[in-house]
Amino acid sequence: MGRLIKHTKRRKDYLFAVLFLDLDGFKMINDSLGHLVGDQLLVGVASRLEKCLRATDTVARLGEGSIVARMGGDEFTVLLDDLKHPDDAKQAAERLMKAVTAPFMLGGREVFTSMSIGIALSNASYEQAEDILRDADTAMYRAKSLGKARYEIFDADMRASVVARLQLEMDLRRALEHGEFHNVYQPIVSLAAGQIVGFEALLRWQHPTRGLLGPEEFIMVAEETGLIRDLGWWNLREACRQMTEWRAAYDAYSQLTMNVNLSPKQFLQANLVQDIGSLLRELKLPPQALKLELTESTVMGDPSAAVEMLQQIKALGISLAIDDFGTGYSSLSYLHRFPLDTLKIDRSFISSIAPGKTRKLREQFFPWH
């Protein structure tokens, strides 16, 4: 790469790009299915990547300087040489992402994954190969923070956002200890009866300097750092405690349920079912009062293992829901495999409905609004 950097200083029209690739959710796959399956997945991904590139492009495992099929680690770099236009790098990234979307058959299981990509385009200001790699890495983290399974091109503003993210991570580590989190409770209304039948616990962070933060501000960082385990458990315990208190204080609340989101990392914890059972017994909360919500990507990472875990949770008497259905990997054909009680359709399914039709639906189902 050093040779190419020198080339850009001699020829102003010369363009190359570095792509920094990272598999989304690889640690979850590794932890749930084992390192052997994780290594097989990397080999499969590497094979697909190589088929997408030109003969003049270079693919290497980060830090190894070797061919892509070598095992270990889930980050790759791709060097795209002698590009005609910056859009060529975007098109290459799109091909690479598409290449890994089809399921991998590993050990008799269907394993799904996706990829986040950061792109750094060459320019005359780069002096060292490490600099352009750093910027491609920064762009990759931006792609992950914006929802994963996408690519981002580096720009100078990204460095400032990286510094801000590091500060947020430090603040997050302190927040639980200092009691800065609390739940707010969104009512769930029965359209048929026109009355509240339950609540959903929504986590909020009262940041000491930034004010009230919603989950979109910090959940991604909590997932990436592993802090989501402690944070998610606090959310679950506090929601169950609150429902126990309400049911004891108000006769009208005795049949209400509490929905709580369960993160992918919580779902993978070995003692999750036992811990939830112990919590319900401690609080004397009937299992029927609790409904756990998972995203479809949580259960589609390893459908077979997910079915087993979901069945264990159902055996406790707890209800299950898939949240934001339609935004991940699954389809309606997969639903019969999971013991679900509720399917929460993502808003994108109705976002294209004309305002007039939306208003009529609202008047039909929410006449008291």
Side-chain angles (χ1 to χ4, degrees), residues 103-124:
F104 293 82
M105 289 301 300
L106 304 174
R109 300 174 184 263
E110 276 191 339
V111 178
F112 291 82
T113 190
S114 61
M115 180 172 285
S116 297
I117 301 178
I119 303 172
L121 297 169
S122 63
N123 62 66

Side-chain angles (χ1 to χ4, degrees), residues 229-242:
R229 293 186 180 90
D230 290 339
L231 188 55
W233 183 253
W234 182 92
N235 174 230
L236 176 62
R237 169 177 278 278
E238 177 59 18
C240 290
R241 184 205 63 76
Q242 182 64 78

Side-chain angles (χ1 to χ4, degrees), residues 74-95:
D74 63 329
E75 294 176 329
F76 303 88
T77 55
V78 174
L79 177 60
L80 303 175
D81 190 9
D82 198 17
L83 300 178
K84 305 304 180 187
H85 191 277
D87 285 348
D88 294 343
K90 297 179 184 179
Q91 292 168 7
E94 290 169 355
R95 291 198 307 272

Side-chain angles (χ1 to χ4, degrees), residues 5 9 120-128 131-132 135 154:
I5 290 175
K9 296 182 183 301
L121 297 169
S122 63
N123 62 66
S125 67
Y126 284 118
E127 298 291 343
Q128 302 292 331
D131 297 334
I132 193 167
D135 290 348
F154 176 82

Side-chain angles (χ1 to χ4, degrees), residues 248-260:
Y250 308 102
D251 290 340
Y253 281 17
S254 61
Q255 300 302 313
L256 296 184
T257 59
M258 180 66 74
N259 288 33
V260 182

Side-chain angles (χ1 to χ4, degrees), residues 137-340:
D137 187 20
T138 297
M140 184 274 294
Y141 273 105
R142 170 63 65 85
K144 281 191 176 292
S145 69
L146 293 176
K148 303 180 180 180
R150 58 183 294 154
Y151 67 84
E152 288 293 318
I153 298 177
F154 176 82
D155 61 52
D157 292 338
M158 287 187 184
R159 284 204 187 95
S161 68
V162 169
V163 173
R165 184 204 181 279
L166 291 174
Q167 183 62 53
L168 182 67
E169 181 179 331
M170 290 187 290
D171 292 347
L172 192 59
R173 293 183 183 279
R174 184 207 65 243
L176 258 177
E177 180 181 340
H178 291 186
E180 295 173 6
F181 290 99
H182 68 271
N183 285 340
V184 296
Y185 299 96
Q186 176 174 280
I188 299 173
V189 178
S190 167
L191 297 179
Q195 63 185 23
I196 294 174
V197 295
F199 294 90
E200 180 176 356
L202 304 174
L203 190 62
R204 297 293 184 267
W205 179 8
Q206 190 64 50
H207 193 279
T209 59
R210 297 177 58 188
L212 188 64
L213 302 180
E216 68 280 358
E217 301 276 355
F218 59 85
I219 288 296
M220 182 73 71
V221 176
E223 287 276 6
E224 292 174 358
T225 59
L227 294 171
I228 193 65
R229 293 186 180 90
D230 290 339
L231 188 55
W233 183 253
W234 182 92
N235 174 230
L236 176 62
R237 169 177 278 278
E238 177 59 18
C240 290
R241 184 205 63 76
Q242 182 64 78
M243 181 51 74
T244 300
E245 183 178 302
W246 283 342
R247 288 168 68 101
Y250 308 102
D251 290 340
Y253 281 17
S254 61
Q255 300 302 313
L256 296 184
T257 59
M258 180 66 74
N259 288 33
V260 182
N261 292 285
L262 201 65
S263 77
K265 285 188 168 59
Q266 285 178 280
F267 189 66
L268 290 173
Q269 290 183 283
N271 298 321
L272 175 67
V273 177
Q274 295 91 322
D275 290 344
I276 293 176
S278 298
L279 175 63
L280 296 178
R281 289 190 294 272
E282 174 193 335
L283 297 174
K284 297 182 173 57
L285 182 67
Q288 295 76 18
L290 178 62
K291 178 179 285 186
L292 296 177
E293 297 189 8
L294 305 99
T295 62
E296 57 180 313
S297 58
T298 299
V299 296
M300 289 306 298
D302 179 9
S304 299
V307 168
E308 183 178 348
M309 176 66 82
L310 294 174
Q311 288 174 340
Q312 292 179 32
I313 294 173
K314 285 285 290 185
L316 293 178
I318 296 169
S319 298
L320 293 166
I322 291 291
D323 194 11
D324 294 334
F325 179 81
T327 60
Y329 309 117
S330 63
S331 64
L332 291 171
S333 63
Y334 278 96
L335 291 182
H336 72 280
R337 303 176 61 179
F338 305 120
L340 303 173

